[in-house]
Structures are given as C-alpha cells and as structure tokens.
Amino acid sequence: MSLQFAILTALAERQSTGIELTRRFDRSFGYFWTATHQQIYRELDRLSSCGWVEATTPPDRPGRGQPKRFAITTDGISALQDWLHGIDEPAPVRESIAIRLRAAAVVGDIAGVRAAVTRHLEVHEQNLATYRDIDARDFSVPETETDILRHLVLKQGLRSEQMWADWCREVLSTLDRLPPRSNPPE
Amino acid sequence: MSLQFAILTALAERQSTGIELTRRFDRSFGYFWTATHQQIYRELDRLSSCGWVEATTPPDRPGRGQPKRFAITTDGISALQDWLHGIDEPAPVRESIAIRLRAAAVVGDIAGVRAAVTRHLEVHEQNLATYRDIDARDFSVPETETDILRHLVLKQGLRSEQMWADWCREVLSTLDRLPPRSNPPE
DNA sequence: TTGCCCATGTAATTTGTTACATGATTTT
DNA sequence: AAAATCATGTAACAAATTACATGGGCAA
C-alpha cells in the first residue's frame, strides 16, 4: 500500500494536522496521489499504532473536535527510506472514457461520447493551467537537489495533462470529421 | 462501476467464454481497462442475474470445469447505449513512482529511486512496442467508422506509454547529472 | 493412475468511496 | 443562544487483490 508512504512523505516535508494533510493532498500532492480525509485519518491511526508517526494532542482538552498535530518519527523515516528503494509495476490502467469510446464504436453511436470527451478536455486543461502556475511559482529559479526531484514529479503531471488534452482534441476533431449520425447503423 | 460496461462492450464485439474474456482483457482491452478472471466471473454472474448477458451452458453436462459461452442480450445492448452517453470525471491519479521520487527528495536519497524508474521505463517501452505492433497490424489501412473510434482508443494508449517512457528517460538523465550521493545530507 | 493444466469458481482481505455523526469554535 | 463551520472521526458499502478450491480432460 502506497498511501501510508505518501502520508509519511508529506509529514517528512512538514508536520501537519489531519485537515492540513487533507488540504495538501488536494493541492500539491494531488497531482500524483489523491486521498480523502477519511482515508487520511484512518491511515494516520494505523501509522500511530506502529509508531511511524506521533500525534501531539493539545494539552488542555483531548477530544473529538480538537486538532492533533502529526509528525513523522525516526522509525517512520527509516521505514520510508526502506520503502523508497522498492520497485513496483506501473499502475493498472482503468480509463472509463476509453470504454465509452469503444462502446460507441461497437453500438455505432459516434455522437454519444462527445459530451464526455468535452468534459475531460475541460478538466485536463484546467489541471494543466494549475500545474503551470505551480511550475512558474515554485520552480522557475535555479534548483536545489530536493527541488530538482520534486520538479520531476510535477513534470510528470504536466506531461500527463498535456497528453490527455491533446488526445481529447484529437478525438473531438476526428468526431467532427465523421458524417453526423447519432444512431446505430442497421 | 465501469467494469460491467467494459465486459458488455467486449461481449458486444464478440461472444466469449470466461477464460476468453480474461485473455481479451489481457490483450486488446488491457491498454484501457484491466481485470482479473475473478472480477470477470463475478461480474458475468451479476450481468446474467439482471439479464444483460446470457450464458449458454454446454448441453451434455453442466458443472464447474465446463466452459460457458456468454453473449450480450438486447437489454444489455440498450443498457450499454444508455451508459455510453454518461459523463464522469477523469480517474483519480495514484502514481506510487511519484511518491518514491518525492520521498527520495525529502530524505535526500537521490540514487534510491533509480531502479524503480528503470523498471518503469522497461515496461512502458515494452507496452509501446506492443501497441505499435497492434497499430500497424490492425489500423494501417483506410478505416471504417468503427475502426476510427477503436483506433482513437489505441492512440490514447500509445500517447500514454510514450509520455511515460519520455518522462522516465528525463528522470534518469537528470539523476545522472546530479552529484552521486546516495545518503541523506546532514 | 498419477500428475498436470485448464476453466470456473469461493473466500478473505485490503483499499477506496459515500454518507453520516460528534464536539469545538466562530459568527450573527 | 442559534446557526454555521471546522476538525475529527464512524459506519456501511463497493471494488479490487490475493490466495485457494473444485471438477474435467489429457498425457506420461
């Protein structure tokens, strides 16, 4: 499981409360790993149990609505260092948009997928704009070693969004060039 | 859930037994949707229950080791047509290789991720070669409408593998240009 | 007739998603 | 003090992964 190491990495960069972590996963971590606050709290709990992170409860009153500050322990850092040397296969591909296209091909409905592809294009263009902002803001100056690695991660996100946007445009312009016909052939 | 529609699409293209479906998901469907045989059998069961696919048991003896032939029903085709018009958001990103890189950045171990990236490059180059073969074999001649849509799906796979291979090479050559030092700074 | 592979499945576990609950703080 | 919001959770569910089980056919 990688989520726990994503959290360890985040905490190694900066200690945080649960909600801060959640926001960081929506922002700068979101371009390579997504997680909801429910996942994050559950995982923080597990990581505390095995001593890889330590929670600082505010001394006055512990309880439900009270922010806890989480920090990585030295054990956690070792665990992260060990994991980092591991190898895994590329993530299995699951693109529902591609199923829709291929389904459209087989039932002969070439117009039915247009809206879905348009929506994808919209999202990927938005992401691309966001990542370019981050790129300009955080990585425009000569870089430290740490920044060079972090920049490489962002570049993957940039490449990916660019690829998707390009492909969506290719799909749309190809659909435009086909004879308009939204019903299956007889 | 998209797996059921992936299966419906596959069966709409050609009726199959469970094991044949599994092999098709390893091959031509694998570049946009992956599934194991366990998932496929379970889903075929559900799809039979709601009447979207129909199983033909060999008449002689029904039983466990006997191949069943599955085909999509007219209800299944309607369901597929309806679903095809839907819209969903791009799949959430989860790239463990990126976590490893970012973890390497924070613990200062720039050499530790090299093997993982090298492995990724290997796989993506292999996939790229496979997809190019499919491209040349199945899509080199003037296309029917159906083929044009199916070709677009393959092109997404090609773009994706190309993107990953390019990025892996960028990472490796960047790592090469950094001063060799495999331990965290003090 | 034993061992192996093929095809179909079951079961347990893990991971991710969706909906909701609780206590504290801030705003009106 | 009521309402909204923030922070931390719980619970139920769905999907995917991993390991294993069963029956049939075939080959040594």
Side-chain angles (χ1 to χ4, degrees):
Chain A
M1 221 271 254
S2 304
L3 173 57
Q4 53 184 322
F5 296 105
I7 291 175
L8 284 181
T9 304
L11 290 180
E13 293 181 354
R14 174 161 24 101
Q15 60 172 112
S16 304
T17 66
I19 199 79
E20 282 166 3
L21 264 182
T22 302
R23 280 195 277 261
R24 291 173 65 194
F25 271 84
D26 281 342
R27 265 185 103 233
S28 63
F29 272 71
Y31 54 82
F32 60 93
W33 200 274
T34 59
T36 62
H37 80 271
Q38 290 90 337
Q39 285 180 279
I40 289 170
Y41 282 118
R42 185 168 39 175
E43 209 57 42
L44 281 173
D45 208 38
R46 287 181 198 161
L47 289 170
S48 299
S49 301
C50 68
W52 290 356
V53 312
E54 208 167 27
T56 315
T57 317
D60 46 336
R61 229 184 309 157
R64 199 158 178 154
Q66 297 297 23
K68 278 188 232 167
R69 187 142 292 270
F70 294 93
I72 191 171
T73 63
T74 51
D75 275 6
I77 292 177
S78 312
L80 186 56
Q81 278 172 331
D82 290 349
W83 174 79
L84 180 159
H85 292 86
I87 294 179
D88 46 32
E89 301 297 292
V93 184
R94 282 192 190 93
E95 297 296 343
S96 62
I97 187 81
I99 304 178
R100 281 185 217 275
L101 255 187
R102 189 128 168 180
V106 73
V107 304
D109 184 349
I110 62 170
V113 281
R114 222 184 183 284
V117 177
T118 304
R119 172 66 186 149
H120 268 54
L121 176 55
E122 213 174 282
V123 173
H124 289 300
E125 277 177 337
Q126 177 60 61
N127 289 345
L128 189 54
T130 303
Y131 297 174
R132 280 179 174 155
D133 284 350
I134 296 174
D135 195 24
R137 180 163 46 76
D138 295 351
F139 297 106
S140 58
V141 292
E143 300 167 314
T144 66
E145 252 177 38
T146 297
D147 279 346
I148 289 173
L149 296 198
R150 289 166 48 120
H151 196 184
L152 284 171
V153 176
L154 178 59
K155 284 178 180 170
Q156 200 285 313
L158 282 163
R159 279 182 192 267
S160 178
E161 298 301 325
Q162 182 74 60
M163 181 271 293
W164 275 106
D166 289 346
W167 178 77
C168 288
R169 279 192 214 94
E170 179 180 4
V171 172
L172 292 176
S173 79
T174 303
L175 293 180
D176 286 343
R177 245 177 277 115
L178 290 174
R181 188 171 51 70
S182 69
N183 287 318
E186 295 311 311
Chain B
M1 223 271 255
S2 305
L3 174 58
Q4 54 184 321
F5 297 104
I7 291 175
L8 284 181
T9 303
L11 290 180
E13 293 181 356
R14 173 160 27 101
Q15 60 172 108
S16 304
T17 66
I19 200 80
E20 281 167 3
L21 264 183
T22 303
R23 280 194 277 260
R24 292 174 64 194
F25 271 83
D26 281 343
R27 264 186 105 234
S28 64
F29 271 73
Y31 54 81
F32 61 93
W33 199 273
T34 58
T36 63
H37 80 271
Q38 291 91 337
Q39 286 178 277
I40 289 170
Y41 283 117
R42 182 168 27 155
E43 210 57 42
L44 282 173
D45 207 39
R46 288 181 198 161
L47 289 170
S48 300
S49 302
C50 68
W52 290 356
V53 312
E54 209 167 27
T56 314
T57 317
D60 46 336
R61 229 183 310 157
R64 200 159 179 155
Q66 296 298 19
K68 278 188 231 167
R69 188 144 293 269
F70 294 93
I72 192 169
T73 62
T74 52
D75 275 6
I77 292 176
S78 313
L80 187 56
Q81 278 171 332
D82 290 349
W83 174 79
L84 179 159
H85 293 85
I87 295 179
D88 46 32
E89 301 297 293
V93 184
R94 283 195 189 90
E95 298 298 342
S96 64
I97 187 81
I99 303 178
R100 280 186 218 275
L101 255 188
R102 188 125 167 182
V106 72
V107 303
D109 185 348
I110 61 170
V113 281
R114 221 182 182 285
V117 176
T118 304
R119 172 66 185 152
H120 269 54
L121 176 55
E122 214 174 279
V123 173
H124 290 300
E125 276 178 337
Q126 178 59 60
N127 290 343
L128 190 54
T130 304
Y131 297 174
R132 279 180 174 152
D133 284 349
I134 297 173
D135 195 25
R137 178 162 46 76
D138 295 350
F139 298 106
S140 59
V141 292
E143 300 168 315
T144 67
E145 252 176 36
T146 296
D147 279 347
I148 288 173
L149 295 198
R150 288 168 48 120
H151 196 183
L152 284 171
V153 175
L154 178 60
K155 283 178 182 170
Q156 201 285 311
L158 282 163
R159 280 182 192 266
S160 179
E161 298 301 327
Q162 183 72 61
M163 181 273 293
W164 275 106
D166 289 347
W167 179 78
C168 287
R169 280 191 214 94
E170 179 180 3
V171 172
L172 292 177
S173 79
T174 303
L175 292 180
D176 285 344
R177 246 178 277 112
L178 289 174
R181 187 171 51 71
S182 68
N183 287 317
E186 294 313 311

